[in-house]
Amino acid sequence: METSWFAKRPVSDIRPGDHGWLAHTGLEERDRVIGIFVGEGLETGEKVVYVSDRPAGRLPGLGGRPPDELDELARSGRLRVIPRRAACLDRSGGFEPAKMLDTLAREVGEAFGQGLRAVRLTTDHSRLLNEPGRPGLARMLGCEHRLGEAVSPSTMVKAICQVDRQACRPDELTALRDTHEVLVEVNPEFDDGVLKIVRTFDPVGLRVEGELDAARHAVFSDRLAQVSAGRGGVHLDFSRLGFIDLGCLNLLAHHAIALPRGQALVLDNLPPDVETVIELVGWHRLPGLARGRDRVPAEEGAAR
């Protein structure tokens, strides 16, 4: 079961006071969240603070910008790419939580003095958790709790802590996730208030919410074709699907037939009403479709 106190938000809905969590499965997922977070901040006149040892031109949301634009953003104080040693490491290279909080306070103070309306902070913990001499979990948890306490009451700060799911053990990932109240996911591929389609990354596919009726066949078919292109099996998470019509089942079967030989379109988390419709038609009449497992929704990251 999902833990009810987590707020799950698309990246464009992140608000001041949100201490967000993104556990990503790869660069595509990371870039589709953090790239939007960074890009929208710069486009709306906010300050972006990115703690990273990588140069600005290689970071999500910044990589496609001309060097002279990045230089101007840095000179104006609206973009700060801060190396880890300057932001959160002590003289010996060890992780220092208090220094991270000081960095945040300094950057927020400068933004306030410039009259900027918000500060977006993001940092990737993956390297910190995956390198020799890594800090103990208790030290990391303490830092995240204190960072959350600093961000939550703020009317200026929006923060996303990133981590590659492979950077630490599942139990450590869960413990770190639990220090955040907001789980961040990719923006929906489509959302008209009746049907919502969200890209998933582990497994690769789509999460489909609401109603799949005749008026929405075309948009669903288009998004399904996009995610299926050049891939093998694709998963559809139907845990939040309330209705599917017979025409859409036929559409699914056509997509499944077009997949590479031996691959299937896997339907996960079928609600009873939807499964009843499929069984009335008969699985044998829907070649290429496969019943998936009823999986416990993952919470380590918001966009699985």
Side-chain angles (χ1 to χ4, degrees), residues 220-221 224-225 228 231-234 236 248-267 283 285-291:
F220 175 63
S221 178
L224 183 54
S228 301
R231 304 181 188 273
V234 171
L236 298 178
C248 195
L249 289 181
N250 187 52
L251 182 156
L252 290 174
H254 279 291
H255 274 277
I257 291 172
L259 290 173
R261 185 174 182 179
Q263 300 294 336
L265 190 58
V266 182
L267 310 183
W283 286 94
R285 293 176 179 166
L286 301 168
L289 296 186
R291 187 201 310 266

Side-chain angles (χ1 to χ4, degrees), residues 5 15 34 45 106 112 154 174 182 192 210 232 260 286 297:
W5 57 265
R15 312 163 186 169
I34 302 302
R106 181 182 66 249
F112 184 80
S154 174
T174 298
V182 177
D192 67 351
L286 301 168

